[in-house]
Amino acid sequence: RRTSAECLLCGDASVLGPLARADVDAGRANLRREGIRRVAVGLLFAHVDGSHELELESALREAMPELTVSLSHRIFPRWRENDRWQTVVADASLKGMFRRYVEDLEGGLQADGVTAKLVLMKSNGGVVEARAAADQPVNYLVSGPVGGVLGGWHFASLAGFTRIMTIDIGGTS
């Protein structure tokens, strides 16, 4: 059998063995004992094959349905585990707060009679419906500066300007 390092070098994404159920059970017991509510899962080669992360998520949710779980292969499916793991940890830590924010914002708008669908701007300038946005809050961390630049471009173009420079100096991010 090849080692995981050999699989990376040869480009083979083979799963070398099953998820260790004893380790999963021990991890669940530890989560319960410590009262942990949010979990970031980052397995070494999950960017190539996320099956073990999915299996781990299923096992965690089966035993603890109240858990908030973020999986690295869904949040940032890229090689270089350090960047992927930092991103999934940020996502997991923000998820509960961001979900409450979106729900409160939607509820407040509805209470004020707003019937339009709420969309949120992503850090890349795109927009997503609020409910979907709440599933991956890490994608919205620097949406404020992006919105400032896009807003500046929009209003300058309405005024007929084609060559502009914009800057966003707010504290939103």
Side-chain angles (χ1 to χ4, degrees):
R1 288 170 64 139
R2 291 181 299 230
T3 66
S4 294
E6 289 169 334
C7 287
L8 176 65
L9 294 175
C10 70
D12 183 352
S14 301
V15 173
L16 299 179
L19 193 61
R21 296 305 297 187
D23 292 341
V24 172
D25 292 342
R28 285 192 310 206
N30 186 47
L31 293 173
R32 239 193 224 109
R33 183 178 58 253
E34 297 295 326
I36 293 172
R37 300 182 326 257
R38 292 181 298 276
V39 176
V41 177
L43 302 180
L44 191 57
F45 296 106
H47 66 289
V48 177
D49 182 342
S51 62
H52 277 173
E53 284 192 353
L54 291 169
E55 190 178 340
L56 183 54
E57 176 189 35
S58 178
L60 290 172
R61 288 190 191 279
E62 177 185 308
M64 303 171 71
E66 72 282 1
L67 274 182
T68 298
V69 181
S70 294
L71 304 179
S72 75
H73 80 277
R74 282 190 184 145
I75 302 302
F76 194 69
R78 311 267 189 316
W79 180 54
R80 304 282 189 204
E81 61 274 2
N82 188 48
D83 294 341
R84 187 163 34 93
W85 292 343
Q86 287 177 4
T87 304
V88 76
V89 166
D91 187 80
S93 66
L94 293 169
K95 202 168 264 185
M97 175 191 63
F98 194 75
R99 181 167 280 121
R100 283 188 305 278
Y101 168 76
V102 167
E103 289 169 357
D104 290 349
L105 183 57
E106 276 187 321
L109 290 170
Q110 288 172 357
D112 285 343
V114 175
T115 58
K117 198 173 283 187
L118 176 63
V119 294
L120 299 177
M121 181 175 291
K122 296 175 70 169
S123 298
N124 67 4
V127 294
V128 174
E129 288 188 26
R131 294 284 169 150
D135 289 334
Q136 292 188 351
V138 76
N139 290 328
Y140 304 87
L141 288 176
V142 290
S143 59
V146 171
V149 170
L150 290 175
W153 173 82
H154 174 74
F155 288 107
S157 64
L158 288 177
F161 294 102
T162 57
R163 297 181 63 192
I164 64 167
M165 182 168 45
T166 66
I167 187 168
D168 182 289
I169 309 178
T172 57
S173 297

